[in-house]
Amino acid sequence: MTAQTATTKTLPPKTLTEQTGARTDEAASLIGDARERIDALDDRIIGLIQERMAISAVIQEARISSGGRRVNLAREMDVLAHYRDALGKPGTALAMTMLELCRGRV
């Protein structure tokens, strides 16, 4: 057997304009800053969803221990309508995904 050595070429780091697809430094800077804000918002949204999941688990546990069902479909329909009214049709899909994350953790 012969040992093969892999040579990896180190690529130079991409410039901000290359990273953003912008054609000017000014636009690239604006996009870079906006993406940082979006990333921070995404982290907050994820944290809120995790908090919602924990609260939902408390509700489900209380409902089940009192002899009720794990899911309250009427409440879920209210949540779907709320998201649809606020965000349009895509809001319904977002709410469905969120409800799916919050179900069945008990």
Side-chain angles (χ1 to χ4, degrees):
M1 273 196 228
T2 61
Q4 293 181 342
T5 57
T7 56
T8 57
K9 294 182 181 179
T10 307
L11 298 175
K14 290 185 177 182
T15 65
L16 191 55
T17 53
E18 290 172 327
Q19 290 173 7
T20 63
R23 301 214 180 236
T24 66
D25 290 340
E26 183 180 347
S29 179
L30 179 95
I31 292 167
D33 291 345
R35 284 182 177 171
E36 285 180 19
R37 289 174 45 211
I38 286 174
D39 290 345
L41 287 169
D42 286 344
D43 288 342
R44 287 173 47 199
I45 291 166
I46 290 167
L48 289 170
I49 291 171
Q50 289 171 332
E51 183 178 349
R52 190 187 195 287
M53 290 168 64
I55 294 168
S56 181
V58 169
I59 292 169
Q60 289 174 55
E61 193 171 300
R63 191 182 300 119
I64 291 167
S65 68
S66 71
R69 299 174 64 121
R70 180 175 54 86
V71 175
N72 180 335
L73 294 178
R75 170 65 178 153
E76 289 197 357
M77 295 306 291
D78 290 342
V79 171
L80 292 171
H82 181 70
Y83 274 71
R84 182 190 62 242
D85 292 346
L87 302 172
K89 186 178 177 183
T92 304
L94 177 62
M96 284 297 298
T97 299
M98 184 190 58
L99 289 170
E100 183 180 338
L101 285 167
C102 293
R103 281 190 214 122
R105 302 287 181 184
V106 176

